Amino acid sequence: MSAAERDEYERLRKAAHGRHRRLRYAVTSVLLLVAFLLAPLAVVAAWVDSEVSDTDRYVQTVAPIATKPSVQNTVTDRLTKRVVDSVDVAAFTDAIGRTLQKEGAPPQVVQGADALTGPLKSALSSAVHSVVNRVVTSDQFSEVWDNANRRAHAAVVKVLTGEGDSAIQAGTDSIDLNIGTLIEEVKKELVNAGFDQASKIPEVDKKVTLLKTDKLNEAQDAMRLLDVVGTWLPVLVLVLSALAIWSAPRHRVALMATAIGIGIMMIVLLVGLAVMRSVYLDSVPSSVLPKNAAADIYDTFIRFLRNSTVTVLVIAVITALAAYLYGPSRPARWVRGMAAKGTGATGRALARQGLRTGETGRWLATHVKWTTGIAIGGGALALVLWNYPTPGAVALILGIVVLVLIILGILAAASGPERRPPAADGRSAPTPA
């Protein structure tokens, strides 16, 4: 082959290599873009799926609502008004007036009976409010709340799909809480407090509107879709990310880019949740629910979604930082060098004290990449198997992995001097100092 032919062959080979490299970059970019766009939706879908399928998780989500002072005050005020409104105080005072008139009481006394309507209603309101507040703020109310939600976990399905019966029900444009059990308890407490007439209180409206919105149907449609893809969408994001890293010409850079991109999308999701909170509070009329109660309900209901988003963000930051520290940059080399010096010095100090690891330590030193990979993989597996991990769980697993890597480095450095084979004259070769 002539020099010209070799040059032409080399030119064609480089051109083909360049096209192949550009194609890999294009494939990686497309996969990463899709993974980034789906990442927030995957977090939301997984949260919805857990709320629908896991009864304990759902009860754990809604349980704090019953202990919020703003919600307790709202329920107390609404229930007091309904109970007092069901009592016809005017008819009672009219009956007193007629009785006094029949008994021949002076006209001034008979007319004064009508003036009792306001004070009696005020006294009744005060007494009922006190009893209702005692019931609502008691542990019994929290137990009733939890048991009702646990027995009727279909509440979430009812809200999201409009199907089934539960304590929490979805209407055409509202989400309502059925407080029938609480009303019966209040009646019993009133009778026990000396208000015998409370047992004759007629049936009142047993629903308290928690949320009123004209977008409920659209939200239910969206939630049904999220429920369907809740299990597989996170898996799809992981698969796309893995394929993008595998197809990239530089795997470490792709891993770092993936972590940074997903981290940014988690920040976008957190901002979106904050914006949705403001939109929700603006959409709830004060006549339906006080702003502080609406804020407490929203914050309580989505707190696990917010925690999951922060957890993914923390994982993304740790992954990006780890990928950077494995790179060729000067700060990364300095960090690795300082870590190696620290574990090496500790291991050699143990060896001088007679605590040598021998062949085991030398094997660890030889297979450091394998042991590091196994330790990191074990941490990742623990995180995957962790039921609803939190940022604290991520920090705990990270600490354990770092501790294991430090121990492995110390054990590798504590192997002691390697034994040399016998010399040609039959004497052992001297070991290096």
Side-chain angles (χ1 to χ4, degrees):
M1 182 182 293
S2 65
E5 291 175 336
R6 286 196 299 271
D7 291 342
E8 180 65 15
Y9 171 78
E10 187 65 21
R11 185 185 67 81
L12 293 175
R13 187 187 68 81
K14 290 181 177 180
H17 178 72
R19 287 194 297 271
H20 178 68
R21 190 178 183 88
R22 288 193 294 272
L23 178 61
R24 292 178 65 182
Y25 273 123
V27 172
T28 300
S29 300
V30 171
L31 292 174
L32 286 180
L33 178 61
V34 176
F36 294 162
L37 294 177
L38 292 180
L41 189 60
V43 174
V44 176
W47 171 72
V48 173
D49 183 63
S50 68
E51 294 295 331
V52 171
S53 61
D54 191 335
T55 299
D56 292 335
R57 186 67 165 179
Y58 169 69
V59 174
Q60 189 179 5
T61 298
V62 300
I65 293 178
T67 63
K68 297 294 182 181
S70 59
V71 176
Q72 291 176 341
N73 292 336
T74 301
V75 173
T76 299
D77 293 341
R78 299 286 175 82
L79 189 52
T80 298
K81 185 177 185 303
R82 292 177 182 178
V83 172
V84 173
D85 289 346
S86 67
V87 178
D88 193 348
V89 179
F92 178 71
T93 55
D94 288 343
I96 293 177
R98 289 193 299 269
T99 301
L100 291 174
Q101 188 175 18
K102 289 180 181 179
E103 295 296 330
Q108 296 85 350
V109 176
V110 175
Q111 293 174 1
D114 294 336
L116 294 175
T117 302
L120 282 176
K121 191 167 185 176
S122 177
L124 179 61
S125 298
S126 178
V128 172
H129 188 279
S130 176
V131 173
V132 172
N133 184 69
R134 186 167 66 248
V135 174
V136 171
T137 58
S138 67
D139 294 337
Q140 185 178 11
F141 177 60
S142 297
E143 292 175 2
V144 169
W145 173 275
D146 292 348
N147 291 335
N149 282 282
R150 186 175 297 279
R151 288 194 307 268
H153 177 242
V156 176
V157 179
K158 178 66 177 179
V159 171
L160 299 181
T161 67
E163 300 173 357
D165 296 319
S166 64
I168 298 179
Q169 302 173 349
T172 304
D173 59 354
S174 65
I175 299 175
D176 305 313
L177 169 65
N178 191 319
I179 56 174
T181 303
L182 179 60
I183 291 177
E184 296 302 322
E185 184 63 29
V186 168
K187 286 184 179 181
K188 293 179 181 178
E189 288 289 332
L190 288 172
V191 172
N192 294 336
F195 296 92
D196 296 335
Q197 294 298 319
S199 61
K200 300 179 181 180
I201 294 176
E203 292 293 328
V204 297
D205 187 3
K206 298 180 179 180
K207 291 183 179 179
V208 174
T209 299
L210 298 178
L211 170 63
K212 191 174 183 64
T213 174
D214 57 355
K215 301 297 184 180
L216 182 58
N217 290 332
E218 290 84 348
Q220 288 175 336
D221 292 339
M223 288 302 179
R224 290 189 192 100
L225 177 62
L226 290 174
D227 181 36
V228 172
V229 300
T231 301
W232 296 106
L233 193 55
V235 176
L236 178 61
V237 172
L238 290 176
V239 170
L240 290 175
S241 301
L243 288 175
I245 296 170
W246 175 78
S247 64
R250 300 172 64 185
H251 302 313
R252 185 189 62 83
V253 175
L255 175 61
M256 189 162 55
T258 302
I260 293 174
I262 291 179
I264 292 174
M265 296 309 295
M266 293 303 102
I267 295 176
V268 171
L269 179 55
L270 289 173
V271 173
L273 291 176
V275 172
M276 286 301 298
R277 183 181 190 273
S278 178
V279 172
Y280 161 67
L281 294 180
D282 291 339
S283 67
V284 178
S286 57
S287 59
V288 175
L289 199 64
K291 294 296 182 182
N292 58 344
D296 285 339
I297 291 174
Y298 180 88
D299 293 338
T300 301
F301 196 75
I302 69 149
R303 73 186 188 283
F304 287 137
L305 174 57
R306 187 184 291 112
N307 289 344
S308 297
T309 306
V310 174
T311 299
V312 177
L313 176 60
V314 171
I315 294 174
V317 171
I318 292 173
T319 303
L321 182 60
Y324 174 78
L325 291 178
Y326 270 91
S329 66
R330 181 175 298 177
R333 293 199 306 270
W334 181 84
V335 171
R336 294 199 301 270
M338 293 300 295
K341 287 181 180 179
T343 56
T346 304
R348 287 189 294 271
L350 292 176
R352 286 194 295 270
Q353 298 295 325
L355 301 175
R356 296 189 176 94
T357 55
E359 293 298 328
T360 301
R362 283 187 281 274
W363 185 90
L364 291 174
T366 304
H367 300 84
V368 63
K369 290 185 178 181
W370 279 98
T371 56
T372 301
I374 291 173
I376 296 176
L381 180 61
L383 196 59
V384 170
L385 297 179
W386 195 294
N387 194 21
Y388 305 120
T390 62
V394 175
L396 175 62
I397 293 176
L398 175 64
I400 293 175
V401 170
V402 171
L403 179 61
V404 169
L405 293 177
I406 292 175
I407 293 174
L408 291 176
I410 293 174
L411 293 177
S415 59
E418 183 178 358
R419 293 185 178 181
R420 299 300 182 89
D425 56 0
R427 294 177 299 176
S428 297
T431 57

